[in-house]
């Protein structure tokens, strides 16, 4: 198995997830539309890419993977769907017939980028719904063949449509988001015998829809949550990586790595392997000691790499929560990291503080906690909220000048 840190993986770079793949495959073949959720960097995009690869290779299903990260409005989304069809021979044949001569010729003669610009000029605010309906009709086709469409980062598009630059939901934005979600839902229902959808994103769609009162628009989707690897699976992944790169990671070394991460989010497992490998390379050794993995954790995972990653996580939080609620989220994460748990009493006390300062109340608090829980930062326990991931907790602790959790176990 080759390592990858950052981009989605499939094929020989893709590890485990057999049960998740099987469940998703059975669901889509059954015609169930799926909303795939899971914490950041859990491997959602990879899982769906691998699912589509498998469906194409083994079941002759046509597939379409649409990434809406850069889409700014519904018309952009439709353009994306049309242009992505290029990656599937059978769908592209149908789509080019629908597009007609001049646009198709552009693809043949000019660049793909020019084609997209020309297509975008034909699909706009005034006609995206009709064009979108026609595209779905075309993709669904007339035969019995099934098409699986995956839409990544739908939550970013909806968030963008809902909110202006001030991160506030506007009436116009809410109307447009409702229209888009209703359009998607209608098309799913209309073509349910032929088209099955999988929706996913780096931030959870449900909390965003709840903010705008649009939750009902997703009730034709069945939710599936992607969880971290268990410690054994993560350890097996580390063992495979070690074999590929000629390193010796003993069982107790791998166990310690998994314990540091606590929640074995695949991206963090790969990053940790990379950090240990770099350290060994510098030292000119191939066998990792317990000291090596602790040093790689403290200096690399919690060092520069950790800071960059944390910024990336926090940028997304800011994007979704907006300038008013975002500081609350940071404060809750900091207070939870400091005490190890965020109790109902802490919550009431903080709500009082905020009310006194006129900086938000129970509604903002419940929105923030909804997102922090849904997106996997905090998990609800009997005594309150706790961090799921040891790494995320340690990022917070280190930024507060506190030692990582393993050095503080007696101090809790
Ligand atoms: N099944 C897997 N096998 C090996 N590595 C994986 C797997 N899934 C995820 N990873 C690791 O996690 C990284 C991120 O994967 P991916 O982009 O699929 O996650 P994601 O959940 O879509 O992330 P985001 O929340 O940013 O959208 C990959 O670069 C890889 O290091
Ligand atoms: Mg992703």
């Amino acid at each position: 198995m080759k390592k990858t840190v950052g981009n989605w993986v499939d094929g020989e770079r893709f590890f485990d997830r057999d049960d998740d793949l099987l469940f998703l495959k059975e669901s889509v073949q059954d015609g169930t539309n799926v909303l795939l959720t899971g914490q950041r960097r859990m491997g959602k995009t990879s899982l769906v890419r691998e699912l589509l690869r498998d469906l194409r290779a083994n079941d002759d299903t046509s597939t379409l993977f649409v990434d809406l990260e850069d889409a700014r409005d519904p018309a952009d989304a439709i353009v994306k769907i049309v242009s992505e069809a290029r990656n599937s021979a059978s769908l592209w044949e149908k789509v080019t017939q629908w597009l007609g001569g001049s646009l198709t010729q552009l693809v043949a003669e000019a660049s793909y980028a020019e084609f997209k610009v020309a297509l975008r000029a034909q699909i706009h605010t005034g006609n995206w719904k009709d064009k979108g309906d026609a595209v779905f009709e075309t993709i669904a086709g007339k035969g019995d063949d099934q098409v699986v469409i995956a839409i990544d980062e739908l939550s970013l598009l909806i968030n963008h449509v809902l909110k202006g630059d001030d991160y506030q939901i506007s009436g116009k934005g809410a109307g447009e988001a409702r229209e888009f979600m209703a359009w998607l839902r209608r098309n799913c229902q209309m073509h349910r015998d032929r088209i099955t959808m999988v929706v996913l994103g780096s931030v959870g769609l449900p909390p965003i829809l709840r903010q705008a009162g649009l939750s009902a628009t997703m009730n034709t989707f069945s939710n599936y949550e992607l969880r971290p690897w268990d410690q054994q699976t993560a350890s097996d992944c580390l063992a495979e990586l070690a074999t590929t790169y000629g390193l010796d990671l003993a069982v107790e070394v791998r166990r310690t790595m998994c314990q540091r991460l606590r929640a074995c989010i695949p991206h963090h497992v790969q990053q940790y392997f990379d950090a240990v490998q770099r350290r060994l390379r510098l030292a000119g050794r191939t066998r990792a000691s317990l000291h090596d993995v602790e040093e790689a954790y403290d200096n690399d995972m919690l060092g520069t790499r950790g800071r960059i990653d944390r910024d990336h996580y926090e940028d997304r939080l800011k994007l979704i929560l907006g300038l008013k609620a975002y500081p609350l989220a940071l404060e809750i994460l900091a207070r939870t990291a400091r005490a190890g748990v965020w109790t109902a009493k802490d919550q009431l006390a903080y709500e009082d503080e905020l009310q006194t300062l006129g900086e938000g109340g129970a509604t903002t608090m419940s929105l923030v906690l909804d997102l922090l829980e849904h997106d996997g930062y905090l998990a609800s326990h009997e005594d309150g909220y706790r961090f799921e991931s040891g790494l995320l907790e340690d990022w917070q602790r280190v930024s507060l000048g506190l030692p990582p959790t393993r050095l503080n176990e007696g101090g809790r």
Side-chain angles (χ1 to χ4, degrees), residues 41 44-45 152-153 200-202:
R41 312 316 264 142
K44 301 173 291 294
T45 302
D152 204 352
E153 304 297 16
L200 61 152
S202 57

Side-chain angles (χ1 to χ4, degrees), residues 41-52:
R41 312 316 264 142
M42 195 61 82
K44 301 173 291 294
T45 302
S46 303
L47 180 68
V48 173
R49 292 271 191 181
E50 179 65 10
L51 169 73
L52 298 198

Side-chain angles (χ1 to χ4, degrees), residues 288-345:
S289 65
L290 285 177
H291 181 69
D292 287 321
V293 298
E294 299 295 20
E295 288 280 305
Y297 187 75
D298 290 345
N299 297 325
D300 200 327
M301 303 291 279
L302 298 181
T304 319
R305 188 198 297 255
R307 270 205 301 282
I308 295 169
D309 249 24
R310 204 183 123 208
D311 285 352
H312 205 61
Y313 270 71
E314 290 179 356
D315 277 352
R316 285 280 150 98
L317 267 185
K318 186 161 143 198
L319 194 72
I320 305 305
L321 288 172
L323 295 178
K324 221 169 106 197
Y326 172 61
L328 258 74
L330 292 190
E331 188 61 30
I332 293 171
L333 291 176
R335 291 185 187 200
T336 310
R338 197 174 278 130
V341 62
W342 169 260
T343 63
K345 217 169 117 205

Side-chain angles (χ1 to χ4, degrees), residues 127-139:
N127 69 3
W128 69 263
K129 242 187 282 175
D130 291 342
K131 292 278 183 190
D133 286 345
V135 171
F136 264 78
E137 189 77 46
T138 307
I139 288 175

Side-chain angles (χ1 to χ4, degrees), residues 214-254:
L214 296 176
S215 298
T217 55
M218 277 307 275
N219 60 12
T220 46
F221 283 74
S222 145
N223 198 354
Y224 184 72
E225 189 192 355
L226 188 61
R227 297 287 306 153
W229 280 329
D230 60 33
Q231 304 236 330
Q232 186 57 53
T233 309
S235 175
D236 292 347
C237 176
L238 289 167
E240 279 221 22
L241 287 168
T243 306
T244 307
Y245 293 93
L247 301 187
D248 183 356
L249 298 186
V251 177
E252 66 274 19
V253 165
R254 286 184 269 130

